[in-house]
Amino acid sequence: MQNFINKTWDDSITPTLVDYIKIPNKSPVFDADWEAHGYMEQAVQLIADWCKAHAAKGMTLEIVREPGRTPVILMDIPGEGDKNILMYGHFDKQPEMVGWEEDLGPWRPVIRDDKLYGRGGADDGYSAFSALTAINALQAQNIPHPRCVILIEACEESGSYDLPFYVDKLRDQIGTPDLVICLDSGAGNYEQLWGTTSLRGVINATLNIEMLTEGIHSGFGTGTAASTFRVLRQLLSRIEDENTGDMLLPELSVDIPAIREQQAILAADTLQNEVIDAIPLAENVQPVSNDIATLLLNRTWRASLEVTGMDHIPSVADGGSVLRPQLAAKLSVRIPPTCDVDVAVAALKETLEANAPYNARVSFTPLEANAGWHAPQLNETLAAQINEASQVAFGKPAMYFGEGGTIPFMGMLGDKFPEAQFFITGVLGPKSNAHGPNEFLHLPFAKKITACVAHVLAAQCG
């Protein structure tokens, strides 16, 4: 089976992903004119054409569209037995980001050292190809598999705001999944299969601060009017301890389940310094802690803050001696998997807007607020199947830990299908750098992940 998968990847999937990376099909929140630009259409046709050319036996494929909404690809492959499997991925991309190496670029695919560089290959363009190839590998060897529905969306990087509509619209075609397999997550290393047990939520918002009606000479204004940057620092100190990075609002804190702490300790023992080495720290820069388990829990179960953008601040080259009248900061607040996102948004807004320093005009405007997700405990049978898949493909047991990112689809499906089991995995291992510069897809790892999915599918038929 692995030989079939390897050949399909080498002969067909990788060349197609090369073409896919060239398409700047940025998610709608990053490209408001995505329909007019046509890049999303190019990407959906590229993927659909490949899937039709490599169709599994009995497969139907539909590109489902609604006016004003991003499209989804729905594939339905009949199988044996009474199990119903839903497989998920997405094909929209994050924007370019700065910092790419000189010979690399977001829309410039490069294969180097078994890695395919470029935006979207690992997050998450490979998913449709991998899911269908896993099924084809089983059919090529006459190994039974259950009925599989493959759903590939196009606005995950924008918060999957179109997906609830499509899941409801396609409810009868999807049916009730017994198992959901998601291929949009991460891995602690490239040496074994990793299952994701939780995802943090995210609150993206703008914090606007207005002090003056117009900019004035800093020699005249400073000492009388406060700097908008000073106000920003004071406001952020209300929600974050600047010395430790700890978030200060109780509404953003939860009790970490004991089993997730135990899994973090086990993952820390396995990965050790790989957790720190995966972060591109500048020379001599230290992580926030040297305790590996603490770092894993920080990024999976504790809230955190980053300022991801700012307006009304000139570049260093253009910065003059001016007291700026206003400042806007884009905040990204990661919240724990079980945190109530609506309560968290309300607490942030009240804390940041109340009693502003110097009576500055301050407004906190949420742009996106997605809850996190905590996976139901795997039943013993599925856990054994996943572990066996890892042993067959890698010769090592499967491992589990949480991820710091957000996949809105998981929480939504958990609510709609509370009885389903979830197998969440992916190819975003160390330094693969999704959303950032030099994103890559680790090709040998992707081939083995495809084999693991095939093994788990076959196990559903006994």
Side-chain angles (χ1 to χ4, degrees):
M1 184 166 61
Q2 187 71 67
N3 289 338
F4 177 95
I5 291 169
N6 291 348
K7 181 173 175 55
T8 303
W9 268 92
D10 293 340
D11 294 349
S12 185
I13 297 177
T14 301
T16 306
L17 281 173
V18 166
D19 292 335
Y20 162 81
I21 286 172
K22 294 176 183 177
I23 304 172
N25 55 307
K26 290 184 284 188
S27 200
V29 75
F30 305 108
D31 183 4
D33 295 324
W34 64 270
E35 286 186 275
H37 290 152
Y39 299 127
M40 201 69 77
E41 183 63 22
Q42 291 179 33
V44 74
Q45 289 294 343
L46 177 75
I47 295 169
D49 288 347
W50 187 94
C51 292
K52 290 175 184 177
H54 297 81
K57 295 174 185 177
M59 185 182 93
T60 61
L61 183 149
E62 180 182 5
I63 300 175
V64 187
R65 309 174 189 275
E66 287 289 328
R69 295 187 184 274
T70 53
V72 299
I73 299 173
L74 183 73
M75 290 175 268
D76 191 341
I77 301 100
E80 299 185 19
D82 58 359
K83 291 287 186 69
N84 186 25
I85 313 301
L86 177 60
M87 305 172 74
Y88 166 84
H90 70 88
F91 65 91
D92 56 314
K93 304 180 185 180
Q94 283 279 324
E96 295 86 341
M97 188 70 175
V98 297
W100 291 78
E101 293 180 18
E102 185 175 353
D103 61 334
L104 303 176
W107 324 125
R108 186 192 309 163
V110 174
I111 298 176
R112 187 173 69 195
D113 299 329
D114 285 331
K115 302 178 182 71
L116 173 57
Y117 288 86
R119 177 66 79 232
D123 185 24
D124 187 38
Y126 88 101
S127 57
F129 306 102
S130 179
L132 184 52
T133 298
I135 297 168
N136 285 335
L138 296 174
Q139 291 188 354
Q141 297 187 65
N142 296 316
I143 299 174
H145 63 78
R147 183 219 180 195
C148 296
V149 175
I150 302 174
L151 181 65
I152 309 295
E153 67 155 319
C155 72
E156 192 274 343
E157 302 293 3
S158 299
S160 293
Y161 57 78
D162 281 336
L163 199 56
F165 169 84
Y166 282 119
V167 170
D168 288 338
K169 177 183 175 68
L170 302 170
R171 183 69 178 260
D172 290 342
Q173 292 167 261
I174 294 172
T176 302
D178 298 289
L179 172 63
V180 176
I181 299 177
C182 172
L183 298 173
D184 185 30
S185 194
N189 57 31
Y190 298 111
E191 299 174 8
Q192 58 208 119
L193 178 61
W194 289 81
T196 300
T197 58
S198 62
L199 299 159
R200 285 193 296 181
V202 66
I203 299 168
N204 290 322
T206 55
L207 182 62
N208 289 283
I209 301 166
E210 187 175 352
M211 294 293 293
L212 308 170
T213 58
E214 61 183 1
I216 58 175
H217 192 294
S218 61
F220 180 77
T222 53
T224 301
S227 161
T228 54
F229 198 83
R230 185 197 308 173
V231 175
L232 174 65
R233 287 189 296 170
Q234 292 181 41
L235 292 174
L236 294 184
S237 291
R238 295 179 175 183
I239 63 173
E240 180 200 45
D241 184 327
E242 63 266 30
N243 294 310
T244 64
D246 293 339
M247 298 298 284
L248 302 176
L249 303 185
E251 294 86 352
L252 274 63
S253 178
V254 302
D255 292 329
I256 303 174
I259 188 172
R260 302 311 179 205
E261 290 187 327
Q262 293 165 6
Q263 288 172 336
I265 292 171
L266 184 59
D269 289 342
T270 299
L271 298 173
Q272 298 185 18
N273 284 337
E274 289 183 62
V275 173
I276 297 175
D277 293 341
I279 306 298
L281 297 171
E283 186 176 0
N284 294 326
V285 172
Q286 299 296 311
V288 299
S289 172
N290 288 315
D291 183 82
I292 305 301
T294 295
L295 295 178
L296 288 175
L297 291 171
N298 281 351
R299 88 179 197 207
T300 58
W301 277 93
R302 297 186 178 112
S304 63
L305 168 70
E306 174 62 300
V307 177
T308 58
M310 299 189 82
D311 285 342
H312 311 298
I313 292 186
S315 67
V316 171
D318 295 333
S321 299
V322 175
L323 189 62
R324 292 170 288 98
Q326 63 187 106
L327 174 65
K330 185 175 183 180
L331 308 183
S332 176
V333 181
R334 294 287 175 179
I335 60 174
T338 55
C339 178
D340 187 314
V341 66
D342 294 327
V343 171
V345 169
L348 287 166
K349 185 174 181 66
E350 180 180 359
T351 302
L352 291 169
E353 289 185 349
N355 301 315
Y358 311 103
N359 205 30
R361 297 177 59 180
V362 174
S363 62
F364 175 84
T365 306
L367 304 173
E368 176 188 8
N370 290 310
W373 174 77
H374 187 205
Q377 186 65 23
L378 290 177
N379 63 49
E380 292 184 5
T381 299
L382 180 58
Q385 293 164 350
I386 292 171
N387 193 63
E388 184 178 354
S390 185
Q391 290 285 5
V392 170
F394 294 96
K396 290 186 177 182
M399 294 290 294
Y400 296 91
F401 71 160
E403 282 290 342
T406 307
I407 308 176
F409 181 60
M410 292 300 101
M412 183 190 70
L413 273 193
D415 292 338
K416 290 183 179 293
F417 306 113
E419 301 302 318
Q421 288 276 284
F422 288 82
F423 171 35
I424 315 302
T425 190
V427 297
L428 296 171
K431 300 186 178 180
S432 56
N433 215 20
H435 300 196
N438 309 320
E439 177 185 336
F440 67 74
L441 171 64
H442 192 292
L443 293 170
F445 188 65
K447 295 173 184 177
K448 290 186 177 182
I449 290 296
T450 304
C452 287
V453 171
H455 186 100
V456 171
L457 289 177
Q460 305 314 300
C461 289

